[in-house]
């Protein structure tokens, strides 16, 4: 019987190449020998193939610039591409980011709001998500608040934005203004500061559309997703989208915060059956449909948080789905530990002893010596 083979495909993209979709590929075929050690071998006809493009199709002229995320969201909403499949990074970990980067996620949610994360760590996670995925992953950063500085840091790093707890038109206009250049914009005037050396002149400052300036293009690259996380936000969502909808690319219904703000049990954000909750959720969906606005949310295809049928149904409406999470993966390790402990518990019972009182499965007996000291005898 031949040994199993795994085919790996690594991708690298040069940051300043003229065509944004050019990907250099190197193929390695890892052959597992009978002793379990990998050796180089010929390709396998049934080898798994790692996705080669993904969101790299929406990269700009350089990975130092944000993806054309606004365009990707519009395409996902129009169903010309599938919904973006992303994972939630609730733990600020650069090694975790690097480990997950080659897996082909379309997006990553970097939670700067609810994690112990400084500007440098956030920036490195954004860069590693882009560069180490070969441009296939779009980083979305949930900023800690609505302040001008946090929004600028995330955008300068090359990320798209997740804005928490937007409840009013004035709040929406404030965050849009902080995220956009050009005070003479026809919708919301931009107040974002142009970073002087974030882009290298003649190297990473080339606009994806040569007919427009760099900063005009940047305004159309990074996406803005607002989170509606309270009853007040739902009540004002119609007005927010009516006045600011052209600059808001996507909406996320923050069910956990919304339920807590309504005095209801959080239920891990999974909703509930209370009449007031059902009415609030229905109103949110009604407004989203009225404005034909893309929206995003968690979606899991298996237990304990979901099922295949519900996942497919959600995918028909959503433009981006967070379908995995680092925190859930680590929680799975805890479940594995409990299962393992339950499996080994009968070993102690069969030995007739207690945990710590057997050696290699043999009961340790005590034997008294003449001076009263105990020695172990088998």
């Amino acid at each position: 019987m031949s040994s199993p083979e795994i085919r790996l495909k690594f991708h690298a993209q040069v940051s300043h190449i003229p065509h944004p979709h050019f990907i250099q590929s190197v193929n390695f075929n890892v052959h597992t020998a009978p002793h379990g050690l990998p050796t180089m071998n010929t390709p396998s006809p049934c080898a798994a193939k790692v996705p080669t493009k993904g969101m790299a199709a929406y990269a700009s002229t350089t990975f130092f610039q944000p993806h054309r995320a606004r365009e990707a969201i519009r395409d996902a909403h129009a169903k010309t591409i599938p919904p973006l499949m992303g994972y939630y990074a609730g733990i600020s970990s650069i090694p975790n980011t690097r480990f997950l980067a080659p897996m082909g996620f379309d997006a990553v949610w970097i939670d700067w709001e609810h994690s112990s994360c400084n500007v440098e760590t956030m920036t490195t996670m954004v860069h590693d998500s882009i560069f180490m995925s070969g441009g296939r992953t779009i980083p979305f950063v949930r900023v800690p608040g609505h302040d001008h500085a946090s929004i600028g840091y995330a955008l300068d790093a090359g990320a798209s934005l997740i804005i928490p707890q937007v409840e009013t038109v004035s709040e929406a206009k404030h965050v849009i203004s902080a995220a956009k250049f050009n005070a003479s914009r026809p919708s919301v005037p931009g107040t974002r500061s142009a970073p002087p050396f974030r882009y290298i002149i003649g190297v990473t400052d080339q606009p994806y559309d040569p007919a427009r300036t760099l900063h005009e293009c940047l305004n159309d690259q990074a996406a803005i997703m607002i989170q509606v996380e309270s009853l007040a936000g739902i009540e004002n969502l119609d007005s927010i989208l009516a006045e600011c909808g052209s600059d808001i690319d996507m909406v996320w219904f923050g069910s956990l915060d919304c339920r807590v703000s309504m005095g209801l049990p959080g239920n891990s954000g999974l909703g509930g059956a209370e009449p007031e909750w059902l009415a609030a959720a229905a109103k949110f969906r009604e407004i989203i449909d009225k404005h034909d606005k893309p929206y995003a949310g968690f979606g899991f295809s298996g237990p304990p948080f979901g099922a295949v049928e519900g996942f497919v149904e959600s995918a028909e409406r959503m433009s981006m789905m967070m379908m995995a999470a680092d925190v859930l993966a680590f929680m799975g390790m805890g479940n594995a530990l409990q299962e393992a402990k339950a499996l080994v518990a009968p070993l102690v019972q069969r030995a007739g002893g207690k945990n710590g009182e057997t050696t290699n499965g043999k009961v340790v007996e005590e034997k008294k010596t003449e001076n009263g000291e105990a020695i172990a005898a088998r």
Side-chain angles (χ1 to χ4, degrees), residues 4 26 28 32 50 60 65-66 85 101 117 131 133-134 188 197 343 350 370 375:
V26 181
F28 295 93
T32 305
V50 179
S60 185
Q65 294 181 22
M85 295 288 115
C117 182
F131 283 87
S133 71
V188 178
F197 297 108
L343 290 172
R350 287 200 299 269
E370 293 181 356
I375 61 173

Side-chain angles (χ1 to χ4, degrees), residues 10 24 99 118 138 150 153 194 237 246 273 285 292 296 323 332 355:
F10 296 90
Q24 297 173 325
F99 184 86
N118 58 26
I138 300 177
S150 296
Y153 280 133
L237 182 58
S246 62
R285 291 190 294 269
D292 194 25
M323 37 64 63
N355 190 26

Side-chain angles (χ1 to χ4, degrees), residues 109-114 122 140-147 149-155 160-164 175 227:
W109 172 318
I110 298 172
D111 198 343
W112 193 15
E113 181 189 22
H114 289 299
M122 178 275 295
F140 285 77
V141 171
R142 175 156 68 173
V143 293
H146 298 176
D147 62 291
S150 296
I151 291 171
Y153 280 133
L155 289 171
S160 287
L161 297 173
I162 302 171
I163 309 293
V175 298
Q227 288 191 281

Side-chain angles (χ1 to χ4, degrees), residues 76-77 79 83 295 309-319 321:
H77 184 59
K79 293 297 182 282
Y295 87 100
E309 296 80 6
F311 180 83
V312 173
E313 182 180 351
S314 297
E316 292 177 355
R317 295 178 59 92
M318 291 185 182
S319 300
M321 303 175 72

Side-chain angles (χ1 to χ4, degrees), residues 99-141:
F99 184 86
L100 291 166
M103 293 189 179
F105 286 98
D106 297 320
V108 54
W109 172 318
I110 298 172
D111 198 343
W112 193 15
E113 181 189 22
H114 289 299
S115 65
S116 178
C117 182
N118 58 26
V119 174
E120 290 81 3
T121 298
M122 178 275 295
T123 300
T124 302
M125 291 175 69
V126 169
H127 286 172
D128 287 355
S129 297
I130 301 172
F131 283 87
M132 292 191 175
S133 71
R136 288 178 293 151
T137 302
I138 300 177
F140 285 77
V141 171

Side-chain angles (χ1 to χ4, degrees), residues 214-236:
L214 170 65
H215 298 96
E216 287 174 334
C217 287
L218 290 173
N219 276 352
D220 283 339
Q221 288 173 222
I224 298 176
M225 178 169 71
I226 65 169
Q227 288 191 281
V228 175
E229 303 183 272
S230 67
L231 197 56
I234 296 174
E235 295 292 340
N236 293 323

